[in-house]
């Protein structure tokens, strides 16, 4: 089923175009990595603040206001560039277990990020209410960082794990 | 000792062979390299955008630098060590690879740009630290820095196509 879809997709004129214009895939991959660097750094700044390790002169809501728009905007560009790469080489990505794990982790981290954003919007001081709240901020930051690192590793491993057939 | 013989020595040494021959050593070190480099680039861009007067104007440049730069340097150290380990796996081929050479050149230029900014422009930071537009020299440094680091990332990805 998936093989069938990959085959069909790779035969479309758009896929053919992406495959045969040599600079498209390197260029789109470069844009993809630059957006990964914006997301990882933005998430890093936010999570270090939640952990109470860095940026303490700024409030958590101040950090969120500064970095959340960059995270969402980069995710949109990552989605578009990712789709272009998939259309260009569907059989490299879709059946690849590293790619599938990456997508599962990505959905998880988006849920974590949405919950974080919802919480900070409802009450900017939520994480300062009690020691238990402070603890939950640290757990959120730890989970988010771990997920993003795993997503980046899976992304790189797509190139090394042969797609299962 | 010539550069070629140093590269050959690195490549045939214990570390170089181990990385080249291990099934997962290269991808694992490469993942660490990519993540660390992403953190270098992203955190530098946070500073560059402030120097360009594009974002976070409410924060003093000196304060933001103190918050961000230690993490940039720590990430750079990790990226450089991981990058060096990757280099040892095929040193003789990397050293003659054009995108690799260009990447090193762009990093050197980013370094020079940073030194000029730090030792010349940044010296009178108290005059434009906050509530003042950043001077032209700071904007130029920020703009050049973004360009150089985008070039570094592009060359890094390009290496993946010439070296496989």
């Amino acid at each position: 089923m998936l093989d069938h879809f990959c085959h069909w997709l790779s035969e479309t004129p758009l896929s053919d175009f992406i495959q045969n214009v040599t600079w498209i895939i390197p260029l789109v991959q470069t844009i993809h990595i630059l957006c990964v660097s914006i997301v990882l750094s933005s998430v890093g700044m936010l999570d270090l603040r939640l952990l109470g390790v860095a940026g303490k002169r700024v409030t958590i809501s101040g950090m969120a206001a500064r970095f959340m728009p960059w995270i969402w905007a980069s995710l949109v560009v990552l989605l578009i560039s990712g789709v272009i790469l998939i259309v260009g080489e569907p059989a490299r990505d879709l059946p690849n277990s590293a790619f599938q794990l990456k997508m599962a982790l990505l959905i998880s981290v988006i849920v974590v990020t949405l919950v974080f954003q919802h919480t900070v919007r409802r009450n900017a001081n939520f994480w300062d209410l009690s020691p238990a709240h402070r603890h939950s901020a640290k757990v959120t930051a730890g989970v988010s960082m771990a997920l993003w690192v795993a997503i980046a590793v899976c992304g790189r491993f797509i190139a090394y794990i042969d797609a299962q057939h | 000792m010539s550069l070629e013989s140093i590269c050959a020595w690195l490549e045939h040494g214990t570390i170089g062979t181990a990385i080249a021959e291990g099934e997962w050593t290269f991808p694992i070190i490469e993942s660490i390299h990519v993540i660390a480099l992403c953190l270098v680039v992203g955190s530098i861009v946070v500073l560059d955008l402030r120097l360009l007067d594009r974002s976070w104007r409410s924060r003093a440049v000196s304060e933001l630098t103190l918050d961000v730069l230690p993490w940039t340097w720590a990430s750079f150290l990790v990226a450089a060590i991981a990058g060096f380990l990757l280099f040892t796996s095929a040193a003789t081929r990397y050293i003659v690879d054009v995108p690799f050479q260009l990447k090193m050149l762009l990093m050197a230029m980013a370094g020079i740009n940073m030194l000029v900014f730090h030792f010349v422009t940044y010296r009178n930071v108290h005059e434009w630290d906050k509530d003042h537009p950043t001077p032209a020299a700071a904007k130029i440094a920020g703009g050049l820095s973004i360009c150089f680091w985008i070039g570094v990332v592009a060359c890094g990805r390009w290496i993946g196509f010439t070296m496989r």
Side-chain angles (χ1 to χ4, degrees), chain B residues 64-78:
Chain B
L64 187 59
T65 307
L66 281 176
D67 268 355
V68 175
L69 216 50
W71 300 95
T72 311
W73 277 115
S75 307
F76 183 80
L77 189 67
V78 174

Side-chain angles (χ1 to χ4, degrees), chain A residues 67-145:
Chain A
F67 288 107
M68 289 309 289
W70 286 85
I71 293 173
W72 293 123
S74 302
L75 273 171
V76 170
V77 181
L78 282 167
L79 184 71
I80 296 168
S81 53
V83 167
I84 295 173
L85 293 170
I86 291 167
V87 172
E89 301 176 293
R92 175 186 187 259
D93 302 328
L94 296 178
N96 191 305
S97 45
F99 170 80
Q100 292 166 351
L101 180 59
K102 182 181 174 181
M103 290 306 109
L105 294 168
L106 183 63
I107 292 167
S108 317
V109 88
I110 287 175
V111 171
V112 172
T113 310
L114 285 172
V115 170
F116 165 78
Q117 194 174 34
H118 183 69
T119 313
V120 82
R121 276 191 184 156
R122 281 184 63 189
N123 184 349
N125 301 316
F126 178 83
W127 289 280
D128 297 319
L129 294 177
S130 73
H133 285 82
R134 266 193 286 282
H135 183 70
S136 75
K138 289 177 183 173
V139 173
T140 308
V143 170
S144 152
M145 275 178 157

Side-chain angles (χ1 to χ4, degrees), chain A:
Chain A
M1 171 70 181
L2 188 57
D3 280 354
H4 202 72
F5 177 71
C6 290
H7 183 72
W8 169 81
L9 191 56
S10 65
E11 305 260 287
T12 56
L14 183 62
S15 179
D16 194 58
F17 179 73
I18 297 169
Q19 288 167 50
N20 291 312
V21 182
T22 33
W23 50 264
I24 293 183
I25 287 178
L27 176 72
V28 175
Q29 284 183 345
T30 302
I31 294 169
H32 199 76
I33 299 184
L34 286 168
C35 288
V36 170
S37 81
I38 296 173
V39 170
L40 287 185
S41 302
S42 303
V43 166
M45 301 277 289
L46 206 49
D47 287 346
L48 288 174
R49 177 62 189 86
L50 281 174
L51 288 168
V53 176
K56 280 188 163 181
R57 279 171 285 220
V58 182
T59 59
I60 289 176
S61 59
M63 277 288 183
R66 173 66 181 82
F67 288 107
M68 289 309 289
W70 286 85
I71 293 173
W72 293 123
S74 302
L75 273 171
V76 170
V77 181
L78 282 167
L79 184 71
I80 296 168
S81 53
V83 167
I84 295 173
L85 293 170
I86 291 167
V87 172
E89 301 176 293
R92 175 186 187 259
D93 302 328
L94 296 178
N96 191 305
S97 45
F99 170 80
Q100 292 166 351
L101 180 59
K102 182 181 174 181
M103 290 306 109
L105 294 168
L106 183 63
I107 292 167
S108 317
V109 88
I110 287 175
V111 171
V112 172
T113 310
L114 285 172
V115 170
F116 165 78
Q117 194 174 34
H118 183 69
T119 313
V120 82
R121 276 191 184 156
R122 281 184 63 189
N123 184 349
N125 301 316
F126 178 83
W127 289 280
D128 297 319
L129 294 177
S130 73
H133 285 82
R134 266 193 286 282
H135 183 70
S136 75
K138 289 177 183 173
V139 173
T140 308
V143 170
S144 152
M145 275 178 157
L147 284 170
W148 279 112
V149 167
I151 288 166
V153 172
C154 284
R156 198 72 287 268
F157 268 66
I158 293 170
Y160 294 95
I161 290 176
D162 288 329
Q164 302 298 312
H165 286 289

Side-chain angles (χ1 to χ4, degrees), chain B residues 44-64:
Chain B
I44 284 182
V45 168
V46 172
L47 291 175
D48 291 339
L49 288 173
R50 178 65 187 84
L51 291 179
L52 283 165
D53 251 348
R54 291 285 156 193
S55 64
W56 236 358
R57 285 185 221 179
S58 59
R59 294 202 71 190
V61 174
S62 58
E63 191 189 288
L64 187 59

